[in-house]
Amino acid sequence: MPPGPRSSHGRLPTLSTLILLLLLCGHAHSQCKILRCNAEYVSSTLGLRSAGSPGAHRGGGGGGGGAGGALRSYALCTRRTARTCRGDLAFHSAVHGIEDLMIQHNCSRQGPTAPPPPRGPGLPGSASDPAQPAADPCDFEKRFARLHGRRPGFLHCAAFGDPHVRSFHHHFHTCRVQGAWPLLDNDFLFVQATSSPVASEATNATTTRKLTIIFKNMQECIDQRVYQAEVDNLPAAFEDGSVNGGDRPGGSSLSIQTAHPGSHVEIRAAYIGTTIIIRQTAGQLSFSIKVAEDVARAFSAEQDLQLCVGGCPPSQRLSRSERNRRGAMTVDTARQLCKEGLPVEDAYFQSCVFDVSISGDPNFTVAARAALEDARAFLPDLEKLHLFPPDAGCALCAPTSVAALLSGLLVLWLCIIQ
């Protein structure tokens, strides 16, 4: 028989010891200890901040001091509590923050750790300090700013029209996806779009007819909530009839509201730094989201199929020839209609031209304009508002546009030779 597990003294653990360990593990699993990890890290770096010497912040060194030792201790603490912290936003935020700080301070992942902080009065800003109460655990932005000393980063994704998908990484695809496809699938949020063919099946064009959004249960903040919208049924409440996150202390951190019943719904999830807008236009549903980076990144390898993360798979993207097929309206007419509300001939404009020309429905101009305005409101960097994918517009360019481009090149060449 192979040797069993032994204690540090080389003896087999007794049955009572095993039972005690199981009880302790069960108690540890019932709560996430990330707040303790955060407090210990802040405590271990207070001396470094007050010292102010460059050497105190170097990642190397033979001892456990310095930023390197503190960060290695922080990382070790998060690894020990990882099993009980799955789905905890503060935990995922800390993990990503450690990676950033390791790079910033040029720290090695291997090496000594900082000694445990001495027990004493609570840290400034902790729950034990009545002068400065802890940040609301169900207010993501305030909690993140308190932990990291800066505002969180945000990402934007949208799906509208054919559907056209703008990913978190500013990829813009026109997709042929049919059936149910996940836009998002992470530890906090699941969004699924269901599409069906539009106009002639020969075009391979589809539109989103149904959206399902699941806000997953999150400790003291919210009970799980499910929102479902279909064409001609855009409810202003979750599936169970509620309009918030339930009776938990942070239930109000999830809310749903509408300014235009039946055509526009906005869902705000402050506990995960997320805002979602759903619209119905021209017999299709549009989806737009602003989400905290740490939330968007909180997914495992098994959750890798997300249109908002990777865009449409190559096999599901409409080719240039498919986008150039004859539709119910001429391209010239569609361009004139889209130009009224979309003066910049970017990806939104080209998407509008495609949707209007294929469907023959001028109302698709509204969907493209709304998607652009959502991007204007949600993007942290407006320099990335207008996208010009290399193959987005060529197939939809009218001959007059090509002629204008050639004329411009001729004028530029004349200016150079003079």
Side-chain angles (χ1 to χ4, degrees):
M1 178 180 294
R6 296 183 179 271
S7 68
S8 59
H9 299 288
R11 297 175 301 183
L12 286 169
T14 64
L15 179 61
S16 59
T17 304
L18 291 174
I19 292 174
L20 178 60
L21 287 173
L22 287 174
L23 290 174
L24 290 174
C25 288
H27 176 71
H29 186 70
S30 65
Q31 54 182 320
C32 176
K33 299 293 194 301
I34 188 60
L35 295 181
R36 186 187 68 187
C37 296
N38 295 342
E40 289 181 355
Y41 170 70
V42 173
S43 178
S44 66
T45 56
L46 286 177
L48 301 180
R49 297 174 188 176
S50 60
S53 62
H57 295 277
R58 291 197 189 107
L71 286 170
R72 285 189 288 269
S73 295
Y74 195 7
L76 178 61
C77 185
T78 60
R79 287 196 297 271
R80 286 173 174 169
T81 193
R83 185 177 179 184
T84 63
C85 290
R86 179 172 175 81
D88 186 280
L89 190 53
F91 170 77
H92 290 285
S93 177
V95 170
H96 289 298
I98 292 169
E99 291 292 327
D100 293 340
L101 289 171
M102 283 278 195
I103 296 172
Q104 179 181 338
H105 294 293
N106 193 27
C107 297
S108 170
R109 288 178 173 78
Q110 303 297 324
T113 57
R119 294 189 176 275
L123 297 171
S126 67
S128 60
D129 181 7
Q132 193 175 12
D136 181 358
C138 298
D139 188 323
F140 175 84
E141 292 195 49
K142 289 182 179 179
R143 189 174 67 246
F144 186 96
R146 188 180 192 85
L147 179 62
H148 299 283
R150 60 179 176 85
R151 295 189 67 245
F154 291 94
L155 300 173
H156 168 58
C157 171
F160 65 96
D162 178 59
H164 312 282
V165 174
R166 176 177 184 145
S167 77
F168 289 143
H169 308 294
H170 311 296
H171 299 135
F172 201 101
H173 299 145
T174 297
C175 311
R176 64 158 60 88
V177 290
Q178 288 192 35
W181 287 76
L183 291 170
L184 279 173
D185 182 10
N186 59 49
D187 292 343
F188 307 98
L189 194 60
F190 176 80
V191 182
Q192 178 177 276
T194 304
S195 302
S196 56
V198 62
S200 169
E201 291 190 6
T203 64
N204 287 327
T206 60
T207 56
T208 300
R209 308 282 296 177
K210 180 179 179 180
L211 281 167
T212 302
I213 306 174
I214 301 176
F215 297 88
K216 300 179 183 179
N217 172 73
M218 185 175 173
Q219 296 180 359
E220 71 269 33
C221 294
I222 70 154
D223 296 315
Q224 178 169 291
R225 288 290 185 262
V226 179
Y227 180 80
Q228 282 199 341
E230 297 187 56
V231 170
D232 298 328
N233 182 20
L234 206 64
F238 296 108
E239 201 172 42
D240 62 356
S242 64
V243 293
N244 58 34
D247 298 329
R248 299 190 184 190
S252 61
S253 63
L254 175 64
S255 63
I256 183 171
Q257 52 193 316
T258 177
H260 306 285
S263 62
H264 182 152
V265 167
E266 183 168 326
I267 304 175
R268 295 184 180 180
Y271 69 100
I272 52 174
T274 296
T275 301
I276 295 174
I277 295 178
I278 303 167
R279 291 187 175 88
Q280 175 177 320
T281 309
Q284 60 87 44
L285 298 178
S286 299
F287 168 85
S288 185
I289 186 171
K290 174 186 177 183
V291 59
E293 287 185 27
D294 288 339
V295 173
R297 292 174 178 170
F299 60 89
S300 64
E302 292 77 19
Q303 299 167 296
D304 61 339
L305 180 57
Q306 302 178 58
L307 301 190
C308 278
V309 175
C312 292
S315 63
Q316 297 297 320
R317 300 173 194 171
L318 287 184
S319 65
R320 183 179 301 181
S321 60
E322 288 176 306
R323 294 199 305 271
N324 199 31
R325 290 177 180 175
R326 184 181 299 275
M329 182 185 295
T330 66
V331 170
D332 283 341
T333 303
R335 287 177 61 86
Q336 291 174 7
L337 290 170
C338 293
K339 194 73 172 178
E340 294 176 5
L342 298 164
V344 179
E345 296 192 12
D346 60 357
Y348 294 95
F349 172 83
Q350 301 298 346
S351 300
C352 174
V353 173
F354 174 79
D355 291 344
V356 173
S357 64
I358 290 297
S359 67
D361 187 350
N363 288 320
F364 273 98
T365 60
V366 179
R369 287 202 305 270
L372 178 62
E373 290 309 309
D374 286 345
R376 193 187 307 276
F378 285 168
L379 282 172
D381 183 2
L382 286 181
E383 290 186 0
K384 297 179 180 178
L385 174 63
H386 298 290
L387 299 178
F388 300 91
D391 66 340
C394 296
L396 298 176
C397 293
T400 53
S401 298
V402 177
L405 176 62
L406 293 175
S407 298
L409 291 174
L410 177 60
V411 171
L412 178 61
W413 179 75
L414 291 174
C415 291
I416 292 174
I417 64 174
Q418 287 181 353

